[in-house]
Amino acid sequence: PPPDPPTPPNYGSPPIGPCTLAVEAELTCGETATGSTAGASDDTGGPSGDHFYGVSLPAAFAYMLVDTCGGSTDFDTVLRAHYGCNGSRPVGLLAANNDACGSGGLGSRIFLGAADFASGNGSAIITVEGHRGNEGSYTINVTCTNEAPPPPSPS
């Protein structure tokens, strides 16, 4: 008989387990936080230290914008949003961005909708880390709105 076909990869939802991430803070609409990834541990498998924030979208809003544009941001940041974690690793990527804030290429911006938050039981985990090993100071801003985000710029 012919050999069995290879088993396809499982692209289903990643396992969600007890979350042991060291979250810097829980942020909501209109809040800003500052921090520094310099010397921080790397919990995502990349070459730079990272920080994590919990966010929740209030029912009165349809979208959340999270960015590291301006403020004290002095290095090339990357933002990622996940709907959960397994141990000390975020899982279930919802959005990611590098360099969405215009000239200078330091800040990043992601949009999350109500459906994204439904995946994570009403919350998400935001990761702030550096592109290609960069580390430094940052400002993270959280804004909520009912207006749909603009379409992405063509590359």
Side-chain angles (χ1 to χ4, degrees), residues 24-153:
E24 301 296 316
E26 298 288 332
L27 300 176
T28 191
C29 307
E31 292 188 328
T32 296
T34 58
S36 175
T37 61
S41 65
D42 166 43
D43 293 314
T44 61
S48 62
D50 39 47
H51 281 175
F52 302 99
Y53 291 88
V55 293
S56 299
L57 183 69
F61 297 100
Y63 301 98
M64 178 179 281
L65 163 70
V66 180
D67 70 60
T68 54
C69 304
S72 66
T73 301
D74 66 3
F75 72 108
D76 191 0
T77 62
V78 174
L79 285 176
R80 290 187 177 84
H82 293 84
Y83 67 75
C85 66
N86 191 5
S88 65
R89 285 208 165 302
V91 294
L93 184 67
L94 297 169
N97 179 260
N98 177 34
D99 297 343
C101 297
S103 64
L106 299 180
S108 301
R109 176 182 297 131
I110 53 177
F111 288 95
L112 300 169
D116 295 319
F117 286 95
S119 301
N121 294 321
S123 62
I125 299 166
I126 305 296
T127 304
V128 179
E129 63 182 333
H131 180 64
R132 295 189 178 186
N134 286 296
E135 295 181 336
S137 298
Y138 64 87
T139 298
I140 184 170
N141 308 293
V142 179
T143 307
C144 298
T145 182
N146 285 312
E147 294 181 29
S153 302

